[in-house]
Amino acid sequence: MQIRFLTLPITFLLALFFAATTTHADTYEHERTWTPLGDYPAASRGNCANKWNNQVGRAGYINRIFFKYDNITKRFEAEIEFEECVGRLPKGFWLAINDGPNPKGHAGELALLYFDATDLNNPILSVYAYNGSNGFESYKDGQAASGRQTPDRIISSHPLAANNNFASLEVTSGSRANGDGSTSALRTFKVDMDASIIQGHDPLYPAVMPSWTGIAFDSSIGYWFHHFVQSDGQYCTDGDGNTICQDVATGQDSKGFLKSITPGITGYVDTSNQTANTYPYCTGAFTGQTKYDATKGCYEVEIGNQFHSTITAQDQDAYDTGLILNYTAPTGAVVDFSSSNPSAGGNYSIDNPGIVDMYFTPELSHSGARVTADFEFTDTKGATKSCPVDICVPVNNPPVCDIQITSANPGQCAGEITTIDFDANGSYDPEGKGITYQWTTDCTGSVSLTDKNNGQSSISVTEPGDGLAYTGCSVTLTVSDGINNDVSCSAPIDIQPCDLDCLDVPNGTAVVDQCGVCNGNNDCLDCADIPNGGTQVDQCGVCGGSNDCLDCAGTVNGDKEYDQCNVCDGDNTSCLDCEDRDITEIQFLIDGGAKKLEAIINQILFKIRKQKSKKLQNFISETQEQAHALQTRNWIISWLFPSISSDCGATPFCATVSNVDLIEEYRVHDKELLELGYEVAKKVFRIKRRKAKSRGVSSKKLRRFGQARKRYRKQLLDQYNKNENNLNMVPESFSSCS
């Protein structure tokens, strides 16, 4: 249960959401008027410059003061009308307000407003925490203590100030005709501002008790108001060197705030515990199927759902024994309330508190509309509270009708009875409501339509099973959301006739056989399908065949054949003279020989492994890669020779395959490994000898490097010769027989 008036802020709405009543109003106003100065005899008008009529009007006689404050929205309004006093009209004022006592002396509790109309077309409002002194210097002195304290700046409308768009300020000028034929000049100051920042201010010098009240007041008000003639306000700029401008509290800024002002001649009115008129206030509750849409700022009520709001209006002022009601309501809404003048057609007199009920059920014509019920309550002083209720009616679109045939072959006869299945699951309501289904058909004859009120249906007919086509009609689906017009869609029925077999069975398989028998099995046919013929099947299963499927052993469909030696199921060797050779051991020797040559080269390179020269390290790496590539290729060649081969001599069934190319390639790589080893030994031992010589090694020891080089050359050559001898044992050819 909840209600929301769009003119109220969220903090108050929460109270409305969860409570049927509240205990206080939220808006208060105070108005005080004086007899216009021009209505007094001309001889006594000069008294305005003294304390007279509960004011001192020497800076301008006050005709009217009006203050209004909304405790929820923090909106503050002020309007002060002045009449010239001894030729003077004010150009500004300062003001402090509270909820009863005279604000003068209440330091750390109240805001002090400075209205500067030096430029009547562009007035400026700046706000400070009131320091409690009986003077105008709060803008430059934050406390009434001895010495000057850092001012407590709050907000300013000056263009250089932050958040300067919080207030609407206006100065208007006019005149009034007096009873004696003279004319008096008038001037009015108006302020309409959002006081949220003021009310949320954390004072720099807070009072112990009570706490900060800013400019708020309720059913009681006190104010300290001084207006002045001379107003030459000067304001701090960015980087201003003025002492006042440089004296800034942490978290505040002086730009756009006063650095000096000279009031000159002043007038004033101080008062306490004056009555403020309480505005009527509203509370509300509702029932019905609805939800509040914060984005749209309204309650959603769907078509057909009743919305019931109960608005309770109340004014706390004892003198307000009744209220005046005016309202507007959506078309079709019923508004119910008790009134002493129910036929007035407006300005209905109701009790205080008064209760207004509204019952509203949106219809299809409201689809997509936003409607407002606005209830205005006015007290005896003319203070009016508007309590609107905004209702959004969601768009209701017609449902979407979709019919699908789910049968695999809907146009094909299925036998004695042909059934076509339909699915309406593609139908939906755009607003997500449930829908109802109604299936109908204009098909005639032996037709049956099932599940007429579900999301699936089927139609069954028998005519196609009798060999007759069934076309020219349809099945219709009608969907409804219960609100909008029904929507229909159709699917045509077009079924081809069944083919009847020789037994008149639809889609049957019975046929007349070659012997002229319906559903017969051709018993009179020979293997050549000749009725009453004499052709037979041979041993190979061939009709009229000659047993061609027998193999050389006489086996039906056997796989035995004569070999090249004319032997049935032979292996083509009985007529050959072959000698087998196994060279596996030789392959291991030539494979290993290549690896040994690579190993000797790596041993030589190992002797200079600790050399830090990048060039030598590159030489070692490149040489190792070259040696390994040669060894790898000879390893591959070693095992490309067939390990077991035959030598069958010259026979018509065999061919000679040569190994010569592989042998020669191995020999070339073997030679390259030998020469690479020689080159490495030469380079390595030259480096070693040069290194030793630089260290002063004796000639006798230097000769050892030459001897070591010779030893490695001998190892390389010995291994090379072994490899060549082993390679010579590989046959240069072998026989390949088929």
Side-chain angles (χ1 to χ4, degrees), residues 277-296:
N277 181 48
T278 304
Y279 268 61
Y281 62 94
C282 304
T283 60
F286 71 83
T287 58
Q289 296 179 8
T290 183
K291 61 182 180 180
Y292 180 68
D293 189 323
T295 302
K296 297 179 182 177

Side-chain angles (χ1 to χ4, degrees), residues 337-497:
F337 56 90
S338 296
S339 173
S340 60
N341 58 338
S343 303
N347 293 323
Y348 300 103
S349 298
I350 64 173
D351 293 336
N352 178 21
I355 298 176
V356 181
D357 286 295
M358 183 186 72
Y359 303 87
F360 175 60
T361 302
E363 300 176 350
L364 187 59
S365 60
H366 294 111
S367 175
R370 182 189 184 109
V371 296
T372 300
D374 193 2
F375 303 95
E376 290 187 347
F377 302 95
T378 305
D379 66 11
T380 55
K381 290 186 177 294
T384 300
K385 183 67 176 182
S386 176
C387 305
V389 180
D390 279 11
I391 301 169
C392 292
V393 182
V395 172
N396 187 283
N397 295 298
V400 175
C401 182
D402 179 75
I403 182 171
Q404 297 293 328
I405 298 176
T406 58
S407 299
N409 298 293
Q412 181 177 320
C413 174
E416 293 183 7
I417 299 176
T418 298
T419 299
I420 300 177
D421 298 321
F422 305 95
D423 192 321
N425 284 335
S427 303
Y428 64 93
D429 181 73
E431 289 74 48
K433 294 181 178 296
I435 56 176
T436 60
Y437 307 92
Q438 180 67 45
W439 298 87
T440 58
T441 181
D442 60 355
C443 296
T444 60
S446 57
V447 60
S448 173
L449 187 65
T450 63
D451 297 323
K452 296 181 181 180
N453 301 110
N454 294 323
Q456 291 82 31
S457 184
S458 61
I459 188 172
S460 299
V461 296
T462 60
E463 281 80 354
D466 295 332
L468 303 173
Y470 196 83
T471 61
C473 63
S474 60
V475 169
T476 299
L477 168 66
T478 301
V479 294
S480 174
D481 63 1
I483 297 174
N484 233 304
N485 295 328
D486 297 345
V487 179
S488 298
C489 52
S490 299
I493 303 299
D494 186 2
I495 307 173
Q496 298 304 309

Side-chain angles (χ1 to χ4, degrees), residues 16 56-57 80 225 303 356 375 419 468 514 530 620 632 652:
L16 294 181
V56 174
I80 306 97
F225 180 83
I303 295 171
V356 181
F375 303 95
T419 299
L468 303 173
Q514 296 182 56
I530 299 174
I620 293 171
T632 300

Side-chain angles (χ1 to χ4, degrees), residues 146-159:
S146 61
R148 190 180 61 79
Q149 314 299 319
T150 301
D152 190 358
R153 300 174 175 95
I154 301 178
I155 196 167
S156 172
S157 68
H158 191 281

Side-chain angles (χ1 to χ4, degrees), residues 148-176:
R148 190 180 61 79
Q149 314 299 319
T150 301
D152 190 358
R153 300 174 175 95
I154 301 178
I155 196 167
S156 172
S157 68
H158 191 281
L160 291 178
N163 304 310
N164 57 29
N165 60 348
F166 70 100
S168 172
L169 309 175
E170 185 180 359
V171 178
T172 60
S173 298
S175 63
R176 70 182 302 274

Side-chain angles (χ1 to χ4, degrees), residues 61-98:
Y61 180 83
I62 302 173
N63 280 343
R64 173 178 177 265
I65 283 181
F66 173 80
F67 300 125
K68 181 179 178 181
Y69 180 69
D70 188 321
N71 191 48
I72 301 302
T73 64
K74 312 303 181 191
R75 182 181 178 185
F76 175 81
E77 299 174 59
E79 185 173 327
I80 306 97
E81 180 185 275
F82 303 91
E83 186 175 345
E84 64 178 316
C85 173
V86 294
R88 300 189 192 107
L89 284 171
K91 284 192 175 182
F93 65 80
W94 68 81
L95 167 68
I97 290 179
N98 65 11

